[in-house]
């Protein structure tokens, strides 16, 4: 069997086109969605992300505000900037690029962002709202994975889903979203016993572990849908968390790396910025961008 490839790059491009159309409609009402991205320090990977975020923000017709601060910026200076962005009516979304320098308290910084502008969905209020089924801002990567799964499978109700990884950015919110769609959800992690056997029961397998080609072909249930969240830089280039060769022989469908989940994350950041803009202005949620 040769698995179908879930083309996240093409899906993300269509999503950005839909977002651009809705941004144009808002322009007719004198509203321009604005996204502020804050980057501390010189981490090369983060610089690349921030640059492409800025470019794509402008491409869909939104305003992009970039704030680059030195690595040794004090936490108070960062909190002061966040306060200014919270109060700025031209800014509808605020993203502080993680990881932060070690002298910062990440929780304190994230929770200083007003929840309505928290387009990452990391604020404790948004985490709680998602967990209790209230209207939340939803983290971008899991939101992108959910969109791909729904597009490929239709209803997720009753399907066995295994999420490998328990991070606050991907694993936990992914599990919440799958649960909201009535999947039967298991979160696996580094202490899980007999992970291969657990994975073999999964109709939906989401890998978010950050280890290259960690999930082997014989861990996959024949016909399963496999979502690979990994972006691992190796000597062979970008590699996912799933062994590509193995998955392509066993899975029903899987997301490639690159060109799968990665492009969906930035598209969902733009989707969240549009959603935040609509909510701030008291408009209905844009169609098809929220779970
Ligand atoms: N660093 C890696 N992924 C992310 C993300 O989704 N949001 C933020 N703010 N920083 C990140």
């Amino acid at each position: 069997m040769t698995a179908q490839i879930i083309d996240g790059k093409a899906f993300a491009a269509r999503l950005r086109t839909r977002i651009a159309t809705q941004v144009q409609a808002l322009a007719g009402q004198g509203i321009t969605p604005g996204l502020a991205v804050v980057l501390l320090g010189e981490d090369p990977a983060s610089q690349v992300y921030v640059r492409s975020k800025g470019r794509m923000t402008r491409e869909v017709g939104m305003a992009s505000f970039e704030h680059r601060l030195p690595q040794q910026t004090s936490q108070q200076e960062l909190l002061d900037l966040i306060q200014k962005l919270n109060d700025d009516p031209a800014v509808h979304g605020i993203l502080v690029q993680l990881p932060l320098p070690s002298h910062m308290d990440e929780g304190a910084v994230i929770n200083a962002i007003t929840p309505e502008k928290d387009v990452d969905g990391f604020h404790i209020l948004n985490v709680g709202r998602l967990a209790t089924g209230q209207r939340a801002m939803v983290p971008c990567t899991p939101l992108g994975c959910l969109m791909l799964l729904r597009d490929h499978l239709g209803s997720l109700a009753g399907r066995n889903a295994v999420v490998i990884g328990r991070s606050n950015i991907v694993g936990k919110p992914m599990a919440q979203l799958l649960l909201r769609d009535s999947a039967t959800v298991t979160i696996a992690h580094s202490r899980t016993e007999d992970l291969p056997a657990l994975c073999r029961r999964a109709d939906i397998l989401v890998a978010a572990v950050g280890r290259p080609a960690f999930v082997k072909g014989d861990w996959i249930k024949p016909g399963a849908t496999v979502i690979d969240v990994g972006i691992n830089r190796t000597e062979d280039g970008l590699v996912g968390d799933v062994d590509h060769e193995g998955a392509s022989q066993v899975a029903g469908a899987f997301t490639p790396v690159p060109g799968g989940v990665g492009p969906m994350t930035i598209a969902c950041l733009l989707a969240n910025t549009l959603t935040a803009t609509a909510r701030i202005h008291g408009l209905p949620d844009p169609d098809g961008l929220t779970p």
Side-chain angles (χ1 to χ4, degrees):
M1 187 161 94
T2 302
Q4 188 182 335
I5 289 179
I6 298 176
D7 189 344
K9 189 174 172 193
F11 192 103
R14 290 194 298 274
L15 185 57
R16 291 198 306 274
T17 302
R18 279 176 31 220
I19 291 168
T21 305
Q22 300 192 48
V23 171
Q24 265 191 338
L26 281 178
Q29 305 179 53
I31 299 168
T32 304
L35 173 64
V37 174
V38 181
L39 173 62
L40 278 83
E42 310 283 327
D43 176 52
S46 293
Q47 301 232 4
V48 172
Y49 288 138
V50 168
R51 217 172 302 135
S52 55
K53 279 171 188 165
R55 180 170 52 80
M56 293 203 183
T57 304
R58 290 185 290 275
E59 273 174 17
V60 297
M62 296 181 181
S64 168
F65 308 98
E66 280 179 30
H67 296 268
R68 289 164 188 267
L69 304 176
Q71 177 87 11
Q72 64 275 17
T73 301
S74 74
Q75 180 162 316
Q76 192 54 51
E77 282 174 276
L78 177 57
L79 293 175
D80 290 346
L81 171 62
I82 290 172
Q83 192 55 50
K84 262 178 42 192
L85 298 172
N86 284 342
D87 294 338
D88 184 345
V91 172
H92 303 89
I94 302 169
L95 180 146
V96 178
Q97 185 70 31
L98 304 178
L100 288 171
S102 56
H103 65 277
M104 299 259 184
D105 174 351
E106 207 159 89
V109 170
I110 288 168
N111 292 325
I113 299 170
T114 193
E116 282 61 42
K117 296 188 178 185
D118 168 37
V119 284
D120 263 326
F122 296 162
H123 190 290
I124 196 73
L125 267 182
N126 282 316
V127 175
R129 286 172 181 160
L130 176 62
T132 53
Q134 299 177 60
R135 210 171 71 152
M137 295 302 304
V138 175
C140 305
T141 300
L143 180 58
C145 295
L146 182 76
M147 287 184 186
L148 293 178
L149 282 168
R150 283 180 176 169
D151 182 65
H152 184 71
L153 292 170
S155 170
L156 310 185
R159 298 185 195 260
N160 277 327
V162 171
V163 179
I164 317 175
R166 53 177 156 179
S167 71
N168 294 332
I169 295 184
V170 183
K172 284 186 224 165
M174 185 77 251
Q176 294 288 0
L177 289 171
L178 290 164
L179 195 56
R180 262 173 79 153
D181 271 24
S182 301
T184 302
V185 185
T186 307
I187 304 180
H189 46 76
S190 54
R191 305 293 292 271
T192 296
E193 285 184 13
D194 203 352
L195 182 59
L198 180 71
C199 292
R200 275 192 287 271
R201 297 213 302 268
D203 305 308
I204 295 168
L205 183 59
V206 180
V209 275
R211 291 168 68 173
F214 177 71
V215 174
K216 310 300 177 203
D218 65 358
W219 299 16
I220 296 171
K221 179 177 176 177
T225 304
V226 179
I227 304 292
D228 189 348
V229 182
I231 302 179
N232 306 292
R233 279 160 225 283
T234 72
E235 284 173 2
D236 305 328
L238 278 191
V239 177
D241 288 348
V242 179
D243 173 41
H244 183 111
E245 278 301 305
S248 62
Q249 285 169 31
V250 187
F254 71 102
T255 59
V257 178
V261 173
M264 290 299 293
T265 296
I266 295 188
C268 286
L269 173 65
L270 303 176
N272 278 350
T273 304
L274 187 62
T275 299
T277 306
R279 290 178 181 174
I280 287 167
H281 286 275
L283 301 168
D285 276 357
D287 275 345
L289 303 185
T290 50

